[in-house]
Amino acid sequence: MAGRSRNTPDQQPSEAEGLLPADYDLADLYGAQSGDEDPDDTAVLIPPITLPADAELAAAALAVPLISRVVALARWVAPHREVDEHGDLGEADRVQAARMLGAEEPDEDDVVEAMRAWALACDLDLVETGTTDDGAHVAIPGPDLAAVEAGEPAAVLGLWFEAAELVRELAAEAESVDPEVVEGGGSDDSDGLAEVEDAHDQAAEILDEALHVLYEATAFAEPGAETVPLGVLAALLVVPDGQEPDEEMLGEITDLMVVLDPMLGDLAELGLLEHRPIDPDLFEEGEGGADGDVVDTDRPLTDEDAARFGTVRLTVLGQYAVREWLLADGYDAPLIGDLAELDGPALLRELAENGQLFAEPELKAWLAARDAPDAARELLAGARGRDAQSPVRRYYCVLGLAELGEEAAPLVRGVVDDPELGGLAREWLRARGADVAAAEREVALWRVVDSMAAVMLLTAGEGGRLQALVADLPVTDNPASYFGEVWRVPHPMTAEVLEAVGELHLDRKVAKEARRAAVKARSLRGQTG
C-alpha cells in the first residue's frame, strides 16, 4: 500500500459540485476527529492493533453473504455441471443457481447476482472448469472446498483474502474506467488506454491511502467510536497537518468523497468495511433541485445530517486485510501481544524504545500471560539501571505493577531499600495503605528527578505533563537551598531536568536558581566522567 500523498484525483466529477457547500464548518461535518493528530508525520509508524483468533476471523469471513454464496455454488456443482467453452453456466442453470441461492422466483437481478458469485467462485478456484476426455465442458468443486466448508482457518482466510485482493483491484478499475475510451476508442487508441491505466493507478493509490488512514483511525479510536464520516477520511488525505481547510480544499474534499464512495461500497460487499454511501439526494440539494429535506447550513450538523455525507468503518476482517497489505509493502504493522513472549527486562526495553503509543494494552497482554509474582519480579528486574532509557523503563514498570495490584506487594516490599527502585517502591506501597516509611531525603530527590526525566523522554518536553510536574515541585521559599540539593543527585539526567525547570517554571526566582543548579550538575558530571 502506498504512503499517503494527500493528492486528489485529476478527474473532477461534475456531480460533486455543490455536495459540500463552501460555508460548511468541517468541524460540524466530522466532529472532534478533525482535530486529531495525524499519525503519519516524518517516520511511518503504524500503530499496533488487536485481532481476534484466526478461527473467529474465519467464521466472520464465512458469514459474509458474498462468500457464503460462493461456497454454496461450489457445493452445488458437485459432482459436476455442464458449462460452455468459456466456463459459463447455461441459461437454465443460471436460473437454478439463483433459486438455489435463495430467490424463490428469480428475476434478472437475481440471476445477475448469482453470476457475479459464480465468476468470483471461478476466479478463486473454488469452482474449476475444464474439458473431459470426450470433449464436454464441465465445472467441478475445487480441491479446497472441503477445508473451507469445514471452517479450517487457513483455508477460509486464504480464500477470503484472495477475494479481497480481487475486489480491491476491481474497485479501483471500475472507478477509473472511462466509457468513452473503452467503448468509443479503437484498438489502436493507445493514448486513451494509457489514460485509463493512469486513472486506474491513481484510483488504486487513493483507495490504498484511504485504507491506511482508516486502519490508523480504527487503531486510535475508542471502542465503539471506529466509524469515520467520509468527510473526515477525505479531509485527512487532503488537508495538511495543522491547517484549516480553505475553500479550494473543501472542493477537493468533496471530489475525493465522490471518488471514494463507490470503491468503499465494493469493499463493503466483501465484509472489509461497513459503509453508508453518500445520500444521492445531496447532489440535487446542492443544485437546489430536491423537494426533500435540505441540510440547513445555518446550524451545526446533527449526526443524521453528517451520516448523509457517507460513513465508513473498518471491520476486523478489514483490519486483517489492510495489515496484510501493509506488511507486504514493507511496513512494520505490529499486533498488540507481539511482545508477550519477551521477559520483563526485554519488554521494558522495547516499550522504552518504541512503545509510547500502546504501552498499556501491550503491558496488559504481557501480564495476562504470567502469574502475578513472576511478572512483578521480572518488571522490577527490568526497571534497574542508570542508562539513558532507564527512567522510561521504571515508568512502565510502575504501570505494570499497578495492573497487578496487591499480588505484587511482597515483591515490591523486597526492593524498598534499592537505590534505584526504593523510591517508587515506597510510593507504590504507601499509596495502597501499607505501613512503610517514606523514602529518605536523598532517595526522594532521586525519585523526583527520575519521574521528571521519564516524562521528558516520553513527551520530548511537549504538552502539559512536564509543565505540571515543574509547577508541583516542592520548592520552599529558599529555592537556592532546594536546588543546592538537587544538583548533587547522582542521576544521569539531573542536569537536563534542572534545565527544563529553568525554562518552564513560572516563578523567575525559582527558574533562575534551577538554571544555576543545572550548570553545577553538568560540571559535576564532567568531573565524575
Side-chain angles (χ1 to χ4, degrees):
M1 299 177 71
R4 283 174 280 162
S5 64
R6 304 185 183 278
N7 292 329
T8 51
D10 293 333
Q11 61 195 68
Q12 301 292 323
S14 59
E15 69 266 33
E17 193 68 32
L19 172 60
L20 192 61
D23 59 351
Y24 266 20
D25 181 352
L26 274 196
D28 284 340
L29 177 62
Y30 51 81
Q33 296 183 63
S34 62
D36 288 349
E37 180 183 355
D38 183 357
D40 187 24
D41 294 326
T42 52
V44 178
L45 179 63
I46 308 297
I49 63 169
T50 301
L51 284 178
D54 284 355
E56 186 176 338
L57 286 169
L62 287 174
V64 173
L66 182 56
I67 293 298
S68 66
R69 291 196 293 270
V70 164
V71 175
L73 284 171
R75 185 189 314 116
W76 173 73
V77 302
H80 68 270
R81 194 164 293 268
E82 291 187 10
V83 294
D84 63 20
E85 65 271 21
H86 304 296
D88 294 328
L89 292 169
E91 191 64 35
D93 276 345
R94 293 184 181 199
V95 174
Q96 187 177 346
R99 184 175 290 111
M100 184 274 300
L101 291 176
E104 293 183 6
E105 297 294 334
D107 58 18
E108 183 178 351
D109 290 341
D110 295 324
V111 172
V112 168
E113 286 302 305
M115 290 308 95
R116 289 181 64 243
W118 175 265
L120 183 57
C122 293
D123 287 338
L124 298 175
D125 293 328
L126 209 59
V127 170
E128 294 185 344
T129 59
T131 306
T132 65
D133 292 339
D134 58 5
H137 303 293
V138 297
I140 63 173
D144 294 332
L145 176 61
V148 169
E149 286 194 297
E152 294 181 12
V156 174
L157 290 177
L159 176 82
W160 182 87
F161 184 69
E162 187 179 350
E165 296 205 289
L166 284 171
V167 172
R168 173 191 176 206
E169 177 68 20
L170 291 173
E173 185 176 299
E175 176 57 34
S176 62
V177 169
D178 185 341
E180 294 183 4
V181 173
V182 176
E183 297 174 8
S187 59
D188 59 348
D189 187 2
S190 57
D191 290 341
L193 292 175
E195 288 180 11
V196 171
E197 185 175 342
D198 289 344
H200 171 269
D201 292 343
Q202 191 175 38
E205 181 180 358
I206 289 169
L207 181 58
D208 281 356
E209 292 170 355
L211 291 173
H212 188 159
V213 170
L214 277 174
Y215 186 89
E216 293 179 348
T218 303
F220 285 108
E222 294 292 329
E226 298 90 351
T227 298
V228 179
L230 195 51
V232 175
L233 184 57
L236 288 172
L237 295 172
V238 171
V239 183
D241 297 338
Q243 292 190 23
E244 291 294 324
D246 56 25
E247 185 172 343
E248 181 180 354
M249 290 178 187
L250 286 174
E252 293 176 352
I253 291 168
T254 297
D255 293 330
L256 193 53
M257 289 166 65
V258 172
V259 170
L260 283 170
D261 195 49
M263 293 195 288
L264 297 175
D266 289 342
L267 295 181
E269 190 176 19
L270 202 64
L272 280 92
L273 307 167
E274 291 178 4
H275 171 241
R276 174 168 173 170
I278 297 172
D279 184 346
D281 288 343
L282 288 172
F283 295 113
E284 297 180 23
E285 291 171 9
E287 299 168 0
D291 294 330
D293 294 332
V294 178
V295 176
D296 183 0
T297 62
D298 293 330
R299 61 168 172 79
L301 293 179
T302 65
D303 290 344
E304 182 60 27
D305 289 336
R308 294 181 65 192
F309 291 90
T311 61
V312 61
R313 186 181 79 84
L314 199 64
T315 65
V316 290
L317 282 173
Q319 288 182 290
Y320 169 80
V322 175
R323 179 174 180 267
E324 291 297 317
W325 289 326
L326 289 169
L327 292 171
D329 282 345
Y331 290 95
D332 181 15
L335 291 174
I336 292 173
D338 279 351
L339 306 183
E341 299 303 317
L342 299 180
D343 62 18
L347 170 75
L348 294 182
R349 285 196 301 271
E350 185 67 27
L351 293 181
E353 293 173 5
N354 305 304
Q356 289 90 334
L357 289 178
F358 279 84
E360 291 188 45
E362 193 65 64
L363 267 170
K364 289 179 180 178
W366 185 87
L367 292 169
R370 286 162 178 77
D371 292 332
D374 291 339
R377 185 179 297 105
E378 290 188 38
L379 289 175
L380 291 167
R384 288 188 170 88
R386 300 200 177 190
D387 56 279
Q389 289 290 350
S390 62
V392 182
R393 293 202 306 277
R394 283 184 283 275
Y395 174 87
Y396 288 132
C397 172
V398 171
L399 289 184
L401 293 175
E403 290 291 330
L404 292 174
E406 292 303 319
E407 292 184 273
L411 278 301
V412 177
R413 282 184 178 276
V415 298
V416 292
D417 294 323
D418 186 281
E420 296 161 3
L421 305 182
L424 71 84
R426 291 175 186 272
E427 284 179 12
W428 191 91
L429 290 165
R430 286 169 64 86
R432 285 157 180 78
D435 184 17
V436 178
E440 295 180 358
R441 180 70 172 173
E442 182 178 345
V443 175
L445 288 173
W446 197 92
R447 177 64 181 152
V448 168
V449 172
D450 196 55
S451 298
M452 293 187 65
V455 173
M456 287 176 63
L457 291 168
L458 285 166
T459 65
E462 298 177 357
R465 293 175 62 189
L466 185 59
Q467 179 75 60
L469 285 176
V470 169
D472 288 341
L473 279 176
V475 182
T476 64
D477 294 336
N478 186 357
S481 174
Y482 179 78
F483 291 117
E485 293 182 279
V486 175
W487 72 261
R488 293 180 172 85
V489 172
H491 190 283
M493 288 188 64
T494 298
E496 288 78 6
V497 167
L498 287 168
E499 287 169 353
V501 176
E503 292 177 8
L504 297 176
H505 207 287
L506 299 180
D507 186 314
R508 290 185 178 182
K509 184 178 179 181
V510 172
K512 181 179 179 180
E513 290 299 335
R515 289 193 294 270
R516 287 180 174 176
V519 173
K520 295 178 180 179
R522 285 198 177 277
S523 176
L524 178 63
R525 187 158 64 191
Q527 295 172 18
T528 59

